[in-house]
Amino acid sequence: MELKFIDLGLILKADDLEVPETLQDETLFISVKPFLLALLSNDMCPIHHFGHAPDNTADGQDELLHHGTLIRIIVDEKYVGVDLECSKQEIVKAFYHLVSNYQPDFCMIMEENGATKKETTVELLYREVF
């Protein structure tokens, strides 16, 4: 029997993050990493969503958008050792370990707009962790 793993997405509210406009990949990750680690080390970590990695299809739909800034971390569950049944503390601890010890394969900024809302997301995608 072959084990199957899923991509997990942890999305954190990060409205206080000043998102650099022109950075991407390694330089973007370096600039947001301290802020992200502070969020993940906070007992009141502002989780917006945890589950299967969501897609980016909210553009133009205010009811689906968060008016502000989010950080989304997507990783295969085998690299973080947590699943959908884990506690918030286990999830936050696993993602803290991931971010503090590994660089994502890519890091980018996405913006989605509705009629009255604008959502800015800093996305970190981990494909392989060594």
Side-chain angles (χ1 to χ4, degrees):
M1 178 178 184
E2 179 183 336
L3 289 176
K4 288 196 167 208
F5 296 98
I6 61 168
D7 279 341
L8 294 175
L10 176 66
I11 302 175
L12 304 173
K13 291 181 183 176
D15 292 331
D16 294 335
L17 175 64
E18 291 187 32
V19 179
E21 294 181 23
T22 59
L23 301 180
Q24 63 182 15
D25 291 329
E26 184 178 356
T27 53
L28 176 58
F29 176 65
I30 290 168
S31 73
V32 301
K33 183 178 178 179
F35 182 89
L36 178 53
L37 290 175
L39 281 182
L40 291 168
S41 64
N42 183 339
D43 288 337
M44 301 300 290
C45 184
I47 294 177
H48 182 68
H49 169 81
F50 174 72
H52 299 284
D55 61 6
N56 301 345
T57 58
D59 207 27
Q61 302 176 59
D62 274 357
E63 67 278 3
L64 299 177
L65 293 172
H66 166 75
H67 188 64
T69 304
L70 300 170
I71 297 177
R72 176 171 41 196
I73 307 166
I74 298 176
V75 63
D76 192 308
E77 68 181 342
K78 69 184 172 189
Y79 295 124
V80 287
V82 295
D83 59 29
L84 301 175
E85 305 301 318
C86 289
S87 71
K88 178 181 177 180
Q89 292 80 13
E90 292 169 315
I91 293 162
V92 170
K93 183 178 179 182
F95 277 82
Y96 182 93
H97 177 78
L98 175 73
V99 171
S100 63
N101 290 294
Y102 301 99
Q103 185 167 320
D105 291 301
F106 80 82
C107 186
M108 63 182 279
I109 301 167
M110 296 178 294
E111 288 189 357
E112 295 182 278
N113 296 289
T116 62
K117 293 182 181 179
K118 177 181 177 184
E119 178 179 292
T120 302
T121 304
V122 176
E123 181 170 286
L124 288 70
L125 176 65
Y126 291 86
R127 280 287 151 228
E128 294 186 10
V129 176
F130 298 102

